[in-house]
Amino acid sequence: MFNGIVLGIATALMQSLSYLASGYFIRKHNSALKLLITSHVAMGVMSAVLMPFFWDGEIFYLPRMVWWCLLIWIVMFMLGQTGFFISQKLIEPSRLASLLGLKIVVLSLIWVLFFHRTLNFLQIAGVVLSVSAAFAMNWSGGKHFEIKSLLPLAVTLVCYSITDLSETQMVLLCDQGNIVRAGISVTLLCYTVLGIFSLPVLVKTGWNFKMQCHSLPFSLLWLGSQMTLLICFGIIGPVFGNVIQSSRGLFSVFFGVIVCRFGFDVMENSASKKLWLRRALAALLMIGGIACFSFGKIIAQ
């Protein structure tokens, strides 16, 4: 279990750093599309190099449902990443990291509306806490969320939620007794195909070597976080792993303080100690909401 917890914390740490890395790129090149394409090409190359170590001939005999789920994953992930990068131009990374916890609200709506499931008390409490955390984060200093920032954030949350569902289905379909290997294999397959789809658009972004280099920190951190996350889930389960991963909000607040203190140009606005404390409390509130919802899911099963 200790290894699983360490990997969960490593996931949260890498994701928090990846948000800062993407903010740095957008500040440099003022384009979410350029980051979207260059990072996915880089992750595609890295995944293609790793794929032979996890896949062999069985990749050509996957069930048809896997390929349909893969298509859904690619479309939803591209839309979700676009929404996320646009959100970063409007919402500070330290806030956005915690707001991604609102995926729980979206997932609960999907379960209730499309799978006709009911929520128990703990799950409802988790949703309420998560929404409360979002409001608390909005009033944690700096500019309040503008109406125009809510649309890309909503697109991000909905598309990421559908991405999670489709990726989970792919992992279950490919599992042959080793859920960790299945998870990593599916992730590599997804990002390899995504990189291939991104190549035709690369020329239209005004690609250059310097731009590609600027996207590498985000690409390495994001792909690495997906690997450690899946291994974490394999060791301690997705529920406990999800709770640990939600600590990215606290890490992002901490890194936000650091980058403001040293004046790094990553789209964070300066704030007083009191306001940073409010953000930390809002992040803790979000973690509490995720914990309630996750453990409520255990009771419901």
Side-chain angles (χ1 to χ4, degrees), residues 54-56 58-67 69-70 166-187 189-190:
F54 294 90
W55 285 103
D56 47 36
E58 79 266 15
I59 192 173
F60 299 106
Y61 302 99
L62 291 174
R64 183 178 298 179
M65 188 62 183
V66 173
W67 298 107
C69 288
L70 178 59
S166 58
E167 186 174 47
T168 300
Q169 186 62 33
M170 281 190 285
V171 171
L172 294 175
L173 289 168
C174 295
D175 182 22
Q176 296 181 349
N178 188 335
I179 193 69
V180 174
R181 180 178 177 180
I184 294 175
S185 300
V186 166
T187 301
L189 174 63
C190 288

Side-chain angles (χ1 to χ4, degrees), residues 5-290:
I5 293 173
V6 170
L7 286 168
I9 294 173
T11 299
L13 182 62
M14 283 191 286
Q15 286 189 345
S16 299
L17 289 171
S18 75
Y19 302 151
L20 293 176
S22 59
Y24 171 80
F25 182 100
I26 291 172
R27 178 77 77 174
K28 283 285 185 183
H29 299 279
N30 194 32
S31 174
L33 177 63
K34 290 178 179 179
L35 176 58
L36 182 73
I37 301 303
T38 53
S39 63
H40 289 157
V41 168
M43 287 188 282
V45 171
M46 289 184 279
S47 298
V49 170
L50 292 172
M51 269 189 70
F53 298 99
F54 294 90
W55 285 103
D56 47 36
E58 79 266 15
I59 192 173
F60 299 106
Y61 302 99
L62 291 174
R64 183 178 298 179
M65 188 62 183
V66 173
W67 298 107
W68 281 112
C69 288
L70 178 59
L71 177 61
I72 294 171
W73 185 91
I74 290 171
V75 174
M76 290 296 104
F77 187 76
M78 289 293 279
L79 290 174
Q81 288 288 76
T82 302
F84 172 74
F85 293 145
I86 293 174
S87 297
Q88 274 209 306
K89 297 178 73 172
L90 305 169
I91 303 172
E92 295 158 293
S94 59
R95 287 173 157 185
L96 187 57
S98 290
L99 290 173
L100 291 179
L102 288 174
K103 270 200 311 182
I104 284 183
V105 179
V106 177
L107 285 169
S108 65
L109 288 174
I110 291 174
W111 286 332
V112 170
L113 295 176
F114 297 101
F115 295 97
H116 306 291
R117 297 183 183 179
T118 57
L119 303 179
N120 58 35
F121 174 75
L122 271 178
Q123 289 173 309
I124 293 173
V127 171
V128 172
L129 283 173
S130 299
V131 173
S132 301
F135 279 104
M137 191 61 77
N138 186 35
W139 293 93
S140 64
K143 295 193 303 181
H144 293 169
F145 305 149
E146 301 177 16
I147 297 297
K148 64 180 181 180
S149 68
L150 297 180
L151 178 58
L153 178 61
V155 169
T156 302
L157 295 172
V158 171
C159 291
Y160 275 1
S161 297
I162 298 174
T163 296
D164 288 350
L165 293 172
S166 58
E167 186 174 47
T168 300
Q169 186 62 33
M170 281 190 285
V171 171
L172 294 175
L173 289 168
C174 295
D175 182 22
Q176 296 181 349
N178 188 335
I179 193 69
V180 174
R181 180 178 177 180
I184 294 175
S185 300
V186 166
T187 301
L188 294 176
L189 174 63
C190 288
Y191 282 98
T192 298
V193 176
L194 189 61
I196 294 171
F197 273 86
S198 301
L199 279 173
V201 192
L202 194 63
V203 178
K204 294 187 177 181
T205 61
W207 181 90
N208 58 65
F209 182 72
K210 187 176 182 180
M211 183 193 304
Q212 190 68 62
C213 290
H214 285 161
S215 73
L216 279 179
F218 171 79
S219 304
L220 288 167
L221 288 165
W222 183 265
L223 190 61
S225 73
Q226 300 310 295
M227 299 291 186
T228 55
L229 177 63
L230 287 165
I231 299 174
C232 166
F233 284 175
I235 296 174
I236 63 177
V239 175
F240 192 24
N242 217 10
V243 175
I244 294 175
Q245 183 203 4
S246 66
S247 62
R248 64 176 178 255
L250 285 175
F251 280 125
S252 293
V253 170
F254 172 75
F255 289 131
V257 174
I258 297 298
V259 297
C260 286
R261 172 67 178 81
F262 291 98
F264 295 121
D265 193 16
V266 290
M267 305 183 76
E268 281 286 354
N269 295 320
S270 298
S272 66
K273 292 181 180 179
K274 184 177 180 180
L275 294 181
W276 280 114
L277 179 61
R278 289 183 190 175
R279 292 184 183 181
L281 292 174
L284 282 172
L285 195 61
M286 185 67 77
I287 293 174
I290 292 171

